[in-house]
Amino acid sequence: MKTTAAYNQDFHAWLLHNAALLRERNFTAIDADNIAEELETMGRSEKRELISRLSVLIAHLLKWRHQPVRRSRSWRNTIATQRLDIKELLEDSPSLNHDIEEQLEKAYSKAVLLAELETGIDRKLFPPSSPFSWQELLDEDFLPEA
């Protein structure tokens, strides 16, 4: 099997073939360039997942703070679920903690857009940066007051 051709034609077969080659320690036959690219892509995917989960969490905390009369069990469950998933993601990939402030900034920008869309509150009325500390975001008991 020509590994680069398989990469472009049947990704699943390419994965299985290269995994077998690695287990056999047949390093000269592996598709090293595409394996390296896929590993880098996986790393970026983990970072995107963290930012996405943080965005949803922060958007719900903003909604919780700015629309107290609309608070619901669903919002509370979303907040709790995102916190658990973020903690699990960070346990599985602790290196994601290295750029956490930068990721938090990206997540906040997305969260404001989400909160604006879901609440109708103009995004200019939300703080310019996250009003929630990293500790508050992950604190399972923290819910902001209006």
Side-chain angles (χ1 to χ4, degrees):
M1 166 186 272
K2 180 86 171 120
T3 55
T4 301
Y7 177 78
N8 294 321
Q9 293 170 354
D10 187 342
F11 185 69
H12 184 256
W14 174 85
L15 284 172
L16 296 176
H17 179 70
N18 276 277
L21 291 172
L22 285 168
R23 284 187 183 91
E24 295 166 4
R25 308 261 190 278
N26 188 351
F27 301 121
T28 58
I30 65 170
D31 186 0
D33 290 339
N34 284 321
I35 290 172
E37 187 172 323
E38 288 303 318
L39 291 172
E40 289 167 347
T41 299
M42 288 170 58
R44 287 189 300 271
S45 177
E46 292 285 301
K47 188 180 273 191
R48 279 192 304 273
E49 181 181 353
L50 177 60
I51 290 169
S52 176
R53 291 190 177 285
L54 280 170
S55 298
V56 172
L57 171 60
I58 295 168
H60 276 75
L61 291 173
L62 289 170
K63 289 171 20 177
W64 190 272
R65 173 177 277 172
H66 292 275
Q67 290 190 319
V69 295
R70 299 197 62 202
R71 291 176 181 167
S72 67
R73 179 177 292 224
S74 173
W75 287 5
R76 186 184 296 267
N77 288 341
T78 297
I79 290 167
T81 300
Q82 293 305 316
R83 283 178 168 149
L84 290 172
D85 289 344
I86 289 166
K87 288 177 184 177
E88 187 176 295
L89 184 59
L90 292 173
E91 286 172 8
D92 290 345
S93 300
S95 65
L96 289 172
N97 280 302
H98 297 303
D99 301 325
I100 203 67
E101 291 303 320
E102 178 185 329
Q103 293 171 48
L104 184 55
E105 194 175 310
K106 288 179 185 177
Y108 184 72
S109 296
K110 291 180 179 189
V112 167
L113 293 175
L114 263 173
E116 178 185 44
L117 179 67
E118 293 179 10
T119 65
I121 298 171
D122 189 306
R123 69 176 159 241
K124 294 175 186 143
L125 298 176
F126 293 111
S129 60
S130 179
F132 314 115
S133 70
W134 183 242
Q135 291 74 26
E136 289 171 328
L137 290 173
L138 295 183
D139 179 351
E140 61 189 48
D141 295 322
F142 172 76
L143 289 170
E145 291 306 316

